Amino acid sequence: MRLRRALGAALLAAMLLAGCQPTASSSVLRDGTSHDMHRNTLMDAAFGAGSQMVLPGEVYWQAEIALPDLLVKPLPADPAQTASASVRNRSSVVPRAVAVRPREVVRISESQLAMVIESVPREWLAQDGQQQPERMPVYLGLIFYGNDAPTASNKHKNASGGMMLKLQNADSAETMAWRPLRLDAFVDAMLVGKERPEVQVYKLASDRYLLTYVQRVCRQGYCGQWLKGYLLQPDVMTEVMHMRLSGSNAYAYESCPNRLEGDVPAAGSAKETVSVAEMIDELYAQSSNTDQAPPTPQTASAAKPRPSRAQGNAKNAAGGSCYAIRGEIHPISRGADTADVSVRFTGLVSEGNGQRRTIGQNQLFRLHGQRLVQIEGLENPLPSPELLP
């Protein structure tokens, strides 16, 4: 009898303790309702309209959210690399003052949607006329919402034939009552510049989506794009891709622009061609994510950049490796609301004066359970693709 009473008391204590544990929805999220899928009204439902903080060109919502400590790495000596933000200590999760901005709204089903959010530590935000920092760390997270009035989901096919989610259907006449249910405040951390990363959402299966972040960084004559991909499911979002998508050192050495002249086959096409010079111009287009304006071919030699691992310290500007490679991501429909992911590379590599090698290859990825697995294609053709931010 005593044993039963002891077990009963222990069970009751455990139930009470579990019931008293703070949850994201009770401690941070408000019990608001949004009657459309606008980012701002969804954010008001989650954090309250009174939490808005309006800055030039941007609206944030202020909140205190339990998040891990971030380690912001400075610019490394290797110009082919860039600065980054990562978790310093995953066990050091404490409430932090952040400003939250919405990024993408994904309709997972008739009764559920997820909104991807970016939380910026308040001390990194410029206020009262201060200049916005060139880069600032952000926590990537998401909020799950439930619909009290479920309706048919809205999808459309993109030009590639793959299923791509139709975002922000503001003109829909559907009856909606979206309530925030759960906050996953931390999925990943990254360092972003004033030029916000390009984000796309692709449907891979009935309730699974690929969210891609593509960020461009230029430094000391090098430019590169990095792709991070996240698998979004009805209850979680996890990282499944991380690669160097595009890159060039055309402005790092005086001889490179001339050695990289010409046309190459367009990605995914046997007939069309693309100008390498135009490809370089597009990659080096002026951006606030640059540490400096890319030097012109006439001033490149004066910049005296440190050779990257992609070139090797023994190679000089005249005979070293020059490259301009562009990668593009495309969904490939397999029917029945399923799709693979194709990464198509095109470009030109010059290992030395008079030596040119055309790049034209594809990588094909397919969803297997919780992972995105490469099933076709060669390795990433970019020199030193492991140089990630």
Side-chain angles (χ1 to χ4, degrees), residues 170-238:
D171 299 326
S172 173
E174 299 172 1
T175 301
M176 301 179 186
W178 296 105
R179 297 182 183 277
L181 301 178
R182 196 179 90 239
L183 168 66
D184 285 353
F186 176 71
V187 175
D188 196 7
M190 62 181 66
L191 206 60
V192 301
K194 293 180 181 179
E195 178 190 8
R196 297 172 67 176
E198 178 185 345
V199 177
Q200 295 287 349
V201 181
Y202 305 98
K203 184 168 185 176
L204 301 183
S206 59
D207 58 357
R208 297 182 182 182
Y209 299 84
L210 177 67
L211 176 86
T212 61
Y213 267 70
V214 176
Q215 187 165 199
R216 178 166 60 110
V217 177
C218 297
R219 185 162 76 96
Q220 297 184 26
Y222 291 78
C223 261
Q225 285 183 320
W226 284 267
L227 165 70
K228 298 193 79 172
Y230 304 90
L231 178 63
L232 174 60
Q233 303 179 78
D235 59 347
V236 70
M237 186 170 76
T238 55

Side-chain angles (χ1 to χ4, degrees), residues 61-340:
W61 279 255
Q62 301 178 77
E64 291 274 339
I65 301 177
L67 291 163
D69 189 21
L70 289 184
L71 173 63
V72 179
K73 297 180 181 178
L75 290 168
D78 191 331
Q81 291 183 292
T82 184
S84 64
S86 59
V87 177
R88 185 192 306 270
N89 186 354
R90 287 187 177 273
S91 63
S92 176
V93 178
V94 298
R96 302 181 190 278
V98 293
V100 187
R101 63 187 181 191
R103 192 57 206 260
E104 296 295 333
V105 178
V106 180
R107 183 91 174 251
I108 297 176
S109 67
E110 294 182 354
S111 59
Q112 186 182 22
L113 66 78
M115 180 164 63
V116 180
I117 58 173
E118 297 173 350
S119 300
V120 182
R122 285 286 305 276
E123 63 267 22
W124 283 80
L125 280 180
Q127 300 185 54
D128 299 327
Q130 298 176 2
Q131 184 176 0
Q132 189 76 8
E134 286 296 322
R135 292 183 179 83
M136 58 186 180
V138 300
Y139 298 91
L140 186 67
L142 67 160
I143 304 172
F144 289 101
Y145 293 78
N147 187 9
D148 290 346
T151 53
S153 59
N154 299 297
K155 299 183 288 291
H156 77 284
K157 287 193 173 183
N158 65 10
S160 303
M163 294 302 296
M164 187 174 179
L165 189 70
K166 185 175 184 180
L167 305 177
Q168 309 259 3
N169 187 14
D171 299 326
S172 173
E174 299 172 1
T175 301
M176 301 179 186
W178 296 105
R179 297 182 183 277
L181 301 178
R182 196 179 90 239
L183 168 66
D184 285 353
F186 176 71
V187 175
D188 196 7
M190 62 181 66
L191 206 60
V192 301
K194 293 180 181 179
E195 178 190 8
R196 297 172 67 176
E198 178 185 345
V199 177
Q200 295 287 349
V201 181
Y202 305 98
K203 184 168 185 176
L204 301 183
S206 59
D207 58 357
R208 297 182 182 182
Y209 299 84
L210 177 67
L211 176 86
T212 61
Y213 267 70
V214 176
Q215 187 165 199
R216 178 166 60 110
V217 177
C218 297
R219 185 162 76 96
Q220 297 184 26
Y222 291 78
C223 261
Q225 285 183 320
W226 284 267
L227 165 70
K228 298 193 79 172
Y230 304 90
L231 178 63
L232 174 60
Q233 303 179 78
D235 59 347
V236 70
M237 186 170 76
T238 55
E239 182 184 323
V240 291
M241 297 182 76
H242 195 176
M243 67 169 64
R244 197 175 181 203
L245 185 64
S246 302
S248 177
N249 65 347
Y251 287 167
Y253 296 110
E254 188 175 8
S255 65
C256 285
N258 290 332
R259 289 163 54 190
L260 294 174
E261 286 184 346
D263 296 340
V264 294
S269 174
K271 297 181 179 179
E272 298 181 4
T273 61
V274 59
S275 166
V276 178
E278 292 180 3
M279 186 188 308
I280 293 172
D281 289 343
E282 180 181 328
L283 187 59
Y284 282 85
Q286 286 293 338
S287 130
S288 59
N289 259 13
T290 58
D291 298 282
Q292 62 181 40
T296 64
Q298 289 73 29
T299 63
S301 58
K304 296 181 180 179
R306 177 179 296 194
S308 73
R309 277 180 279 172
Q311 297 165 309
N313 292 332
K315 297 180 179 179
N316 57 42
S321 175
C322 302
Y323 62 92
I325 301 173
R326 180 174 65 190
E328 300 173 353
I329 185 169
H330 298 273
I332 306 297
S333 176
R334 295 198 294 126
D337 281 357
T338 60
D340 293 334

